[in-house]
Amino acid sequence: MNDHREAEIVSTTAVLKPSPNNGGTALSVPLVKIYGERNSGTIYLSELIRLNFVAKELRGFVPWPVTGLQLILPGRESVRDAFFSATFGSNLGWKHMRVKPVEELQQYGIASRRLHFLTITKNPYSWLLSMHRRPYHQYYDSGLSFEEFLTTPWQTTRRDGTEQTIENPIQLWNVKNRSYLPLNNVFPALNLRYEDVLCDPEQAMSQVESEFQLQRTADGFRNFQQSTKDTSKDSDYYRDYYLNERWRDKLSAAAIEIINKHLDQTLVKTFGYGMLSNCVAA
């Protein structure tokens, strides 16, 4: 599902060409690798990087021919998985994957060639609501209540880079976001929060520029206003919904209790979020 939407913007995302003189990657400009879970703003972040910096983003989603091939071959995800298995050395994998340990990443030549890592994290409570609404790459029967969704095992794909089954989507948030933190110890890396990018994208891009010393494509900041998933909603809608936390109205006391039971509270605090009390639920 998400791969189809991303295929539409493939022309706006730089794709690296193999070169025999540089270990397989053209390095005329700095490279950027973005990691972030589904429904966390990775497409928006990609567009901001494209619009504002002279940089090439390593591919994080499958190209349309691979997606089309998957439609006619057995296995719902096998072709997509095979693509990232075969190309990992040139792109460092699916953008939604659990990031490999830094010791493993260091074994890939591209990881030492002017490569900058960007990760994006979303508030776990609002993210879970988004995943319930759009449970990408899950094939269970639709119609689960939010509380049922929170207690349903999550079946991963091979390109997720995790165990085959994760206890629930709450643990999925823990696993994926925990994997981003070690990048800062070894590589040029910046961990962004979706809410901060949404609140002040210009400041977020200034932070990227300062951290990575990237060249701007033009004077001033250029924003991407179009919704990446719902054309009926614009950036003002998302800023209001997420920054004013309108999503809280959708959380029951029971849902908050389930979420809090499984959330890694230390990780939540590390990313600057707070745990909700089920006493304030609608």
Side-chain angles (χ1 to χ4, degrees), residues 10-11 13-29 31 56-59 63 90-91 110 113:
V10 67
S11 62
T13 304
V15 179
L16 302 182
K17 303 295 186 181
S19 169
N21 299 320
N22 55 31
T25 305
L27 296 173
S28 58
V29 297
L31 307 178
K56 290 184 179 181
E57 181 187 346
L58 297 186
R59 177 175 287 278
S90 63
N91 57 44
I110 197 170
R113 299 175 183 272

Side-chain angles (χ1 to χ4, degrees), residues 157-175:
T157 66
R158 185 154 55 93
R159 64 187 181 277
D160 273 290
T162 66
E163 57 268 35
Q164 185 175 359
T165 302
I166 292 180
E167 182 180 359
N168 55 52
I170 309 161
Q171 293 289 0
L172 183 69
W173 187 92
N174 293 335
V175 167

Side-chain angles (χ1 to χ4, degrees), residues 60-71:
F61 55 90
V62 297
W64 169 245
V66 175
T67 303
L69 188 61
Q70 180 69 85
L71 297 175

Side-chain angles (χ1 to χ4, degrees), residues 63-279:
W64 169 245
V66 175
T67 303
L69 188 61
Q70 180 69 85
L71 297 175
I72 62 175
L73 292 178
R76 288 177 168 134
E77 303 292 340
S78 59
V79 177
R80 298 181 181 96
D81 289 340
F83 171 82
F84 278 113
S85 178
T87 63
F88 190 89
S90 63
N91 57 44
L92 299 185
W94 195 33
K95 65 179 180 176
H96 303 311
M97 73 178 298
R98 177 178 63 178
V99 179
K100 287 182 178 291
V102 292
E103 296 82 6
E104 292 187 36
L105 290 176
Q106 286 178 305
Q107 298 175 16
Y108 295 91
I110 197 170
S112 63
R113 299 175 183 272
R114 302 179 69 196
L115 178 59
H116 309 279
F117 289 94
L118 270 177
T119 72
I120 187 165
T121 296
K122 191 176 186 179
N123 184 297
Y125 298 93
S126 66
W127 177 81
L128 286 161
L129 287 165
S130 297
M131 287 296 275
H132 176 239
R133 186 168 61 253
R134 295 188 179 94
Y136 293 121
H137 312 109
Q138 294 300 287
Y139 299 98
Y140 48 67
D141 292 336
S142 60
L144 291 180
S145 69
F146 185 53
E147 291 76 13
E148 290 171 331
F149 167 77
L150 294 173
T151 57
T152 298
W154 187 272
Q155 303 300 320
T156 67
T157 66
R158 185 154 55 93
R159 64 187 181 277
D160 273 290
T162 66
E163 57 268 35
Q164 185 175 359
T165 302
I166 292 180
E167 182 180 359
N168 55 52
I170 309 161
Q171 293 289 0
L172 183 69
W173 187 92
N174 293 335
V175 167
K176 295 294 184 70
N177 287 281
R178 188 183 297 119
S179 74
Y180 307 152
L181 298 177
L183 289 170
N184 298 278
N185 299 329
V186 176
F187 302 106
L190 183 61
N191 306 120
L192 297 174
R193 300 194 315 172
Y194 172 68
E195 295 80 13
D196 296 334
V197 177
L198 197 61
C199 176
D200 194 341
E202 183 173 3
Q203 172 57 33
M205 292 305 99
S206 294
Q207 189 178 1
V208 171
E209 180 183 21
S210 175
E211 186 74 21
F212 296 154
Q213 299 298 303
L214 297 180
Q215 179 184 343
R216 292 274 185 169
T217 55
D219 292 335
F221 166 73
R222 292 194 287 177
N223 199 6
F224 183 76
Q225 299 288 351
Q226 179 183 347
S227 169
T228 60
K229 293 182 180 177
D230 188 341
T231 56
S232 68
K233 299 172 182 177
D234 60 13
S235 56
D236 289 337
Y237 169 86
Y238 287 108
R239 277 193 291 269
D240 176 61
Y241 180 76
Y242 286 107
L243 302 183
N244 293 316
E245 298 188 344
R246 305 292 186 196
W247 46 264
R248 286 199 186 206
D249 295 338
K250 302 179 184 296
L251 294 172
S252 67
I256 293 177
E257 183 177 5
I258 295 169
I259 295 170
N260 289 351
K261 178 181 177 181
H262 295 279
L263 266 184
D264 181 334
Q265 297 189 29
T266 300
L267 188 62
V268 171
K269 183 177 180 180
T270 296
F271 281 106
Y273 297 114
M275 302 291 292
L276 296 184
S277 168
N278 58 12
C279 296

Side-chain angles (χ1 to χ4, degrees), residues 2-65:
N2 204 23
D3 295 325
H4 286 253
R5 172 63 187 95
E6 288 161 342
E8 296 173 11
I9 65 166
V10 67
S11 62
T12 69
T13 304
V15 179
L16 302 182
K17 303 295 186 181
S19 169
N21 299 320
N22 55 31
T25 305
L27 296 173
S28 58
V29 297
L31 307 178
V32 174
K33 180 63 181 182
I34 293 176
Y35 289 115
E37 248 300 3
R38 289 148 285 201
N39 295 302
S40 293
T42 57
I43 298 177
Y44 180 45
L45 182 58
S46 292
E47 292 289 359
L48 289 176
I49 297 299
R50 178 184 66 84
L51 288 169
N52 288 280
F53 298 112
V54 179
K56 290 184 179 181
E57 181 187 346
L58 297 186
R59 177 175 287 278
F61 55 90
V62 297
W64 169 245

